Amino acid sequence: MPSFDTVCEADLVKVRNAVDNSAKEIGTRFDFKGTSAAIELKDKEITLIGDAEFQLDQIADVLRNKLTKQEVDVRFLDMGDVQKMGGDKVKRVIKVRNGIEAELAKKLQRLIKDSKLKVQAAIQGESVRVTGAKRDDLQAAMALIRKDITDIPLSFNNFRD
């Protein structure tokens, strides 16, 4: 039976390269000289450190530019709130989305069921498997998902005939 998996996975190698390139640029830029501006990646979490919220926004902008150059969709980033650190420093933790959350998986399942296409959606951990009798129905389901879910970068893999 033909099927495919709907997933939300960032290429972590490209994310690490973008973070490393951002750190290099922050180290050489004149407006960051003498400040505590820094960026680091640990376990799918990017931490931005700066002297003020304005500086965090500048660092995030540098990171977005580097991610775009690495061809990583910036919708993978889940921006956290600005937190105070010791002294006058602030930090922001950005989570890199990996996997489809339960709420979105249920929304996908409901979307496919309500579409009246002859396909079924099953939640499997952090992905949603869509199965159907015909390849054309699966392609219609892919088009439907791409059209309706725009806030998260979904991709399709494991396509089987």
Side-chain angles (χ1 to χ4, degrees):
M1 193 136 181
S3 68
F4 68 86
D5 291 340
T6 305
V7 294
C8 177
E9 292 177 347
D11 187 351
L12 292 176
V13 174
K14 289 183 177 182
V15 171
R16 173 163 297 288
N17 286 342
V19 170
D20 291 344
N21 290 339
S22 298
K24 281 182 192 173
E25 184 173 328
I26 289 166
T28 59
R29 270 184 44 176
F30 180 75
D31 56 341
F32 291 128
K33 290 269 190 239
T35 65
S36 61
I39 183 171
E40 57 189 37
L41 174 69
K42 285 184 187 167
D43 299 331
K44 300 177 188 169
E45 284 188 350
I46 302 170
T47 306
L48 310 178
I49 300 171
D51 291 336
E53 192 172 338
F54 172 72
Q55 198 172 50
L56 291 181
D57 292 339
Q58 287 181 318
I59 296 169
D61 191 42
V62 169
L63 176 64
R64 275 190 220 98
N65 289 337
K66 299 299 180 185
L67 284 170
T68 303
K69 284 184 181 175
Q70 290 285 334
E71 297 176 1
V72 176
D73 198 328
V74 293
R75 293 179 294 174
F76 281 115
L77 301 181
D78 187 17
M79 296 291 222
D81 294 330
V82 175
Q83 305 164 351
K84 295 260 185 217
M85 290 175 60
D88 58 349
K89 295 181 185 176
V90 290
K91 76 173 184 175
R92 172 180 277 161
V93 177
I94 302 172
K95 290 188 168 99
V96 179
R97 287 188 182 135
N98 226 10
I100 297 176
E101 294 147 5
E103 184 179 311
L104 179 63
K106 288 177 184 173
K107 183 179 174 184
L108 275 170
Q109 200 173 20
R110 172 68 43 209
L111 174 72
I112 289 171
K113 190 173 184 176
D114 291 346
S115 70
K116 304 291 189 222
L117 289 172
K118 293 183 179 171
V119 294
Q120 295 84 36
I123 300 170
Q124 296 186 334
E126 294 188 334
S127 67
V128 177
R129 175 156 294 165
V130 180
T131 58
K134 295 181 183 172
R135 184 185 229 174
D136 293 340
D137 292 339
L138 291 180
Q139 289 175 338
M142 282 182 183
L144 178 73
I145 291 170
R146 278 194 187 106
K147 187 182 79 160
D148 282 14
I149 309 295
T150 57
D151 54 339
I152 295 180
L154 296 174
S155 58
F156 308 105
N157 64 11
N158 206 12
F159 195 93
R160 308 229 171 167
D161 255 341

